[in-house]
Each structure stands twice: as C-alpha cells, then as structure tokens.
Amino acid sequence: MRFPRSWRGRKPRLGRPTPGDAGSGLVTGLFSIPEGMAYAAIAGFNPVAGLYAGVVPAIVGSLTSRTVLMVTTLTSALALTSQSVLSDAGLDPKDAGNVATLTLMAGVVMLLMGVLRLGVVMSFVSNAVMTGFSTGIALQIITGVLKDATGYKPRGDNRLFQLGDWLAHVADWQLAATLVAVATIAVWAATRLVRRLAPVALLVAMVAASVAVALLGTDVELVGGIAHIPAALPGFSAPDLSAVSHLLGGAVAVALVGLAQAASIGPSVPNPDGSKSSVNGDFAAQGLANLAGGLFQSLPSGGSLSRTGVAVSAGARTRWAGVLSGILLALIVLVCAPLAEHIPMPVIGGLILVVGGELIWGKRHDIRMVLRTSRLSSAAMIVTFLATTQLPLQQAIVLGAVLSLLLYCAQAARRARLVSLVPDDRGRWHPDDVPARLPPGEVTVLYYDGVGFFAELPGIERTLPPTDHARGAVLILAVRGVPDVPSSTMAKVLRRHARDLRRSGGRLMLSGVEPGLARALKAAGLDRDIGPDGMVPAGGALFDPLDQALVTARAWITAAGSPSRHDPQEGPEQLGRPEPQPPGGP
C-alpha cells in the first residue's frame, strides 16, 4: 500500500468533494460490507452492527478529524477488545443497550484524552509492545474464523492451542466450506495481480465467490442464517445505564486500543490539502464519532489503517471521501440488504483469513527489527504477544502499557550518562571522558544527558569525579534539557555532591537551568549549598549559560587565590561567592 508524500501547511478545511472522493467513497463503502460484518461476527456481535459502524462513525469522524483522509470505523482489534470487555463484565455482547453503553463510554474517554491533549501518552507505547499486540490480534482474527472457513470449531481456551487443535483435526474439516474458503482466497489472489483491481480485491472475491456458491447450490452456512440485515438506516439505540459501573475500566481499555491503532495513521497518511494533522485532534474526532455512533447501533470505532488505505488507493483527496463512504454504505444497505444475507460464511471466513495473514505478514519487518534491537525489547514483544493470545484483551493492553513504561524507564536509565566538555584552542566544545579527579584550581565541565529518573541516578553518582583533593576546583554541571520536575533523588544527589565539594574547598555550579527545574531545586534547598550565583538559568544561545557559568567560576577561583588558601571549614556563604581580597592574598 502506497501513500502520497508529505504535504505541509495549514489547518484542515472541509473543502469540496472531488470525483476521486466519490469513487473512493463508493469503493470504501462497499469494502465495509464484508470487512465490517466479518469483524463483528468474529467477536460474536450482530454482523449488522459491523455494517452500521461504517455509517455514522465514518461520517462524523471524517468531518472532524485533523488527519483528513483517516476513516473511522470498526477494526478487528476493537471488535475483539469490546467482546472481551463485555464478556469479562458478564454482559451479553449481542444486547444493543450494552453495546451502546460501551461505545459511548469509550467515546467519552477518547474525547477527554483529545481535549486534555494526552496524545503524548501514545508515544510511550513502544514499538515492541505494539508489534506483539498487533500480531496477537492478528492470530485472534485467524482463530476466530476457523469454524466459518472450514466448518470445524477448534477447542481450547488458548488461541495457540486452538490453532494447534484445528491443524490436528484436518480430517474433521467440512469439505464444502473448506473448498469455498479456498476458492475465495484464490480469487482474491488472482484479483490482486490486476493492478487496478487490487484495492477492491476483497470485494471482488466476495461477490464472485458468493455468486458461484449460489449458482452451484453449494450447501454452506449463509449470513442470513446468523442475522437478518434490515433494509433500513441505523436506528436510535439507547444505552443501558445499569452497565456503566461494570464497564468503567473496560471502556478505557477499548479507547486505548482504538487510539493506539489510529496514532500511526497521521504520519503514514499526510493531508493532501497541505494542512497539519494532530494526534490530539484525531483523538477528539474519534471520541465524537463514537458518541454519535453509539446512539445509532454502532460498535466502538477508531481510525482504521486498512480502510484508510483502501480510500487513499481508490483516489481520496479530501475528507469528503470518508463522509461519502458512510453515506453510500447507508444507501447500499437500504437497497441491497437482502442480497447481503446470501453471502456465504465460508466466503467471509476466507476473506478474514486473508486479512489476518496480511496483518502478520505486514509485521514481519517490525518483528525482525525488534528481535535485532535488544533482548529487553524482544522479551516485551513476546510477553505482549502471549498475553494477547491468552488473556482478555483489556488485560493484555494494560500489561502492554506497563511493559512499555518499564521498557522506557530501563532504556532511559541505561542511556543516562555524564560527558566531559573540553574546549579547544578556538573555543569549540568537544565531548570527552569524565576525568578521574577534579584538578585543583581549575574548572571542569560535565554535561548531564538524562531525564532525572531515580533509577539512573545511582550510576550517575558513581560517575561523578571524587571530591578529594579538589581545593579551589569548580565543577560545572550543564543540565539544559533536563525536565522541569526532577525526582527528589536527583536533588539529594546534587546536594550531597555540593556539600562534599564544599568540604574539600571546591564548588558545584549548574548551567542552563530551566525555570521549572530551578524552582524545584531551590525548593529542595540546593541554592543554599551552591550559592546565589550557582544556578545559571537557561536562555539565549545554546552555550550562553555555560559561558556565563565559566566567567563566574573563574572569577571565584581567582578571588579565592591559590588552592592552598582555602579553609575546608569555611561555610557555604563564604564559598558560594568570590572573596573580597585581590588575587595573591592580603
């Protein structure tokens, strides 16, 4: 799937629909029939709810999204997570009131995350965890349609066990269902070879296989045997307020799954009108889409990469493509609903096997990259994959978020270091190893490259040069870029080292201190240990604070005289500022 190159510029506008948008809307709407119904059927929902998820959510999401071409609708991960949440709460997933409640609650969470500008949270979900989660979801998709595709329902609570049981009972597969599924996959593969038909290969395969089954009179299960598809627009669906207390945690999990999937669409699908996308704006748009869709028989929806890819490949140029996909799908349901009931379930099963297989195949590069990156990332990916195949999905996504946070903290702690900055003859700074000691009567500059987490500070403290024999030495610690709110452990480390230096007749200074960091360190009492001029604020050019600190440090050394003149018992008030006598002593 190829997307256009990035355009830059303005805020999104509604614009006018183009002929490409009309064609794209029709293709995307048609594509929503097999995919939406199949995703809903996989998770045990009424397939009609999967159809309706492509109507109101798609229209509202496309009208409000900051990523112009993003299509908001039901995804496989959302369908499975929603089913898991409802089942775990002891609620019937086919009850319209329960579905409406969950959809509305997930919409509220998404909207709040957008309004509170919490899109940055998604950046903490590591690629390793998302790869494991997505691959596990793909396996769930595959195992969820094995019965539809072959007529044999695998046994076992674990998805991996189910897959193994299915393979071990090939003899129990129903021949007619299996042949229909295989034929559907074959038609899909042949259609993909024709470049112009590739974007609608799933639709072509569905229509061709369904017509062939009808003409041949093959005895297989039909969609009509599972649910009646009314030739009507989605009606009002009232939420069941008694289910709210049972779905609080589950709604957050559903929202996080939807937002995590959609967060990758903006960078992949730039806006053709030159406007800038926004993760927070997309969060809010998905929230509005669910708030509207929840009242009109829709399952929880989110940004769909597959449906967005279909829209782009079919010629979408403005947000009207997504709007028209919802409108045209509604018209198709009104006119062609009886025909949809004759779609064979093995056809849908074959198509979803294709979708699941493509998802796994598309992750092969990410899996290989994670395995080559580090053992810690590989372990996080594998644990998330196993959790997704064995635990309820809402628990798996929480576990994945915790693993992402631990992985981030571990990587931050390992990355944190001190680097010595040494000027050359032309005044340019060069990195070097931290010196083994602080030269008496000289200035030593160290750059702190870290985020202030307590886990990284013990290693940093061990790296600091010893303060013994540091009379008249000044240690400048460049901290520009350190977060405004450091851990209390960081303040303790700095105070302890400042006092050790003071007792040895030396001095600690900080340069490039951001305002928030300065307030936090002063509140911890560090200013009393390093003196009123010991914190040089950030500002100006990159090295301006360091140059200012150097001037102050050299003046302090000069005013203090030779290293032998320092009295280790002098108080911080005297060592925190230049002494009044001229260089050379009285």
Side-chain angles (χ1 to χ4, degrees):
M1 181 189 312
R2 291 186 178 181
F3 297 110
R5 293 186 177 181
S6 177
W7 295 275
R8 304 185 180 205
R10 309 173 305 277
K11 193 174 180 179
R13 298 175 301 174
L14 183 59
R16 296 181 179 179
T18 66
D21 293 328
S24 174
L26 178 60
V27 171
T28 306
L30 289 171
F31 186 85
S32 295
I33 296 175
E35 190 171 78
M37 291 175 62
Y39 286 162
I42 288 171
F45 292 105
N46 188 332
V48 178
L51 277 178
Y52 288 160
V55 180
V56 174
I59 294 172
V60 176
S62 292
L63 286 173
T64 58
S65 175
R66 288 292 299 272
T67 299
V68 170
L69 301 182
M70 184 173 74
V71 179
T72 303
T73 186
L74 179 66
T75 68
S76 58
L78 280 171
L80 290 169
T81 306
S82 300
Q83 189 274 342
S84 180
V85 165
L86 289 170
S87 298
D88 196 50
L91 301 174
D92 183 4
K94 291 187 178 180
D95 184 276
N98 294 336
V99 173
T101 303
L102 178 60
T103 305
L104 290 170
M105 292 177 67
V108 170
V109 175
M110 291 178 174
L111 182 60
L112 285 176
M113 290 190 70
V115 171
L116 297 176
R117 307 185 64 82
L118 296 179
V120 68
V121 171
M122 290 298 108
S123 64
F124 287 93
V125 180
S126 71
N127 178 63
V129 167
M130 283 306 302
T131 299
F133 184 75
S134 301
T135 308
I137 286 291
L139 181 62
Q140 291 232 31
I141 291 172
I142 290 173
T143 55
V145 296
L146 293 179
K147 178 182 179 299
D148 294 330
T150 62
Y152 174 74
K153 183 177 181 179
R155 300 177 178 85
D157 297 329
N158 184 299
R159 297 291 181 172
L160 293 173
F161 290 161
Q162 290 178 9
L163 182 60
D165 180 75
W166 177 74
L167 292 172
H169 290 80
V170 175
D172 295 328
W173 297 1
Q174 295 179 8
L175 181 61
T178 303
L179 290 177
V180 170
V182 171
T184 303
I185 295 173
V187 173
W188 168 83
T191 308
R192 292 272 295 179
L193 298 177
V194 182
R195 186 173 181 180
R196 291 187 177 181
L197 295 179
V200 291
L202 287 176
L203 180 64
V204 171
M206 181 189 70
V207 173
S210 299
V211 171
V213 167
L215 292 177
L216 296 174
T218 307
D219 185 17
V220 292
E221 187 177 24
L222 303 179
V223 169
I226 298 176
H228 169 65
I229 302 178
L233 296 176
F236 178 76
S237 179
D240 182 358
L241 298 182
S242 65
V244 171
S245 60
H246 302 286
L247 296 175
L248 289 175
V252 174
V254 170
L256 289 177
V257 170
L259 297 179
Q261 287 189 305
S264 63
I265 295 179
S268 303
V269 189
N271 294 339
D273 61 359
S275 60
K276 294 182 179 180
S277 62
S278 165
V279 174
N280 294 310
D282 290 342
F283 281 10
Q286 291 172 86
L288 293 173
N290 278 283
L291 288 175
L295 296 174
F296 292 95
Q297 297 181 266
S298 171
L299 287 165
S301 303
S304 169
L305 184 58
S306 63
R307 212 75 58 91
T308 302
V310 169
V312 172
S313 299
R317 297 296 299 171
T318 74
R319 61 178 70 250
W320 280 103
V323 175
L324 291 174
S325 74
I327 295 174
L328 294 175
L329 175 60
L331 294 177
I332 292 170
V333 171
L334 279 174
V335 176
C336 305
L339 294 178
E341 292 186 1
H342 292 282
I343 299 175
M345 289 306 297
V347 170
I348 293 181
L351 294 178
I352 296 305
L353 286 178
V354 168
V355 172
E358 283 193 312
L359 287 174
I360 293 177
W361 181 251
K363 287 296 179 182
R364 68 190 187 282
H365 298 300
D366 287 333
I367 294 173
R368 189 181 299 117
M369 181 181 66
V370 171
L371 291 174
R372 291 176 177 176
T373 300
S374 72
R375 293 181 180 179
L376 195 59
S377 297
S378 300
M381 178 181 69
I382 294 171
V383 169
T384 305
F385 170 76
L386 293 176
T388 306
T389 59
Q390 300 182 55
L391 298 176
L393 283 180
Q394 71 272 22
Q395 297 178 16
I397 191 62
V398 172
L399 177 61
V402 172
L403 285 175
S404 293
L405 181 59
L406 293 176
L407 191 61
Y408 174 78
C409 292
Q411 290 174 340
R414 292 192 333 194
R415 185 182 70 91
R417 58 176 183 158
L418 287 176
V419 179
S420 177
L421 297 181
V422 180
D424 59 17
D425 296 337
R426 302 174 64 180
R428 295 177 300 186
W429 294 96
H430 298 274
D432 201 351
D433 295 333
V434 176
R437 65 185 184 88
L438 296 176
E442 296 184 16
V443 180
T444 301
V445 179
L446 299 180
Y447 169 65
Y448 174 64
D449 184 14
V451 294
F453 282 173
F454 64 88
E456 68 194 53
L457 293 175
I460 291 295
E461 189 172 17
R462 288 192 296 269
T463 311
L464 286 168
T467 58
D468 300 338
H469 311 296
R471 287 178 177 273
V474 177
L475 173 60
I476 298 178
L477 191 59
V479 294
R480 191 162 194 165
V482 173
D484 288 351
V485 186
S487 67
S488 59
T489 309
M490 179 181 182
K492 290 182 179 180
V493 168
L494 293 176
R495 291 199 68 181
R496 186 159 53 240
H497 203 69
R499 290 172 178 175
D500 290 344
L501 270 173
R502 186 184 65 199
R503 282 192 292 267
S504 297
R507 184 181 184 192
L508 174 68
M509 295 184 65
L510 304 180
S511 72
V513 185
E514 301 289 348
L517 178 60
R519 288 192 295 269
L521 293 178
K522 288 179 180 178
L526 182 64
D527 57 324
R528 295 192 297 272
D529 294 303
I530 64 176
D533 58 350
M535 288 190 201
V536 180
L542 181 62
F543 288 103
D544 282 356
L546 180 55
D547 292 338
Q548 182 181 342
L550 280 171
V551 171
T552 303
R554 287 167 179 162
W556 183 85
I557 292 173
T558 301
S562 63
S564 62
R565 291 203 67 264
H566 280 283
D567 181 358
Q569 301 302 320
E570 287 182 300
E573 293 79 13
Q574 290 155 308
L575 286 173
R577 63 175 183 270
E579 295 179 350
Q581 63 262 34

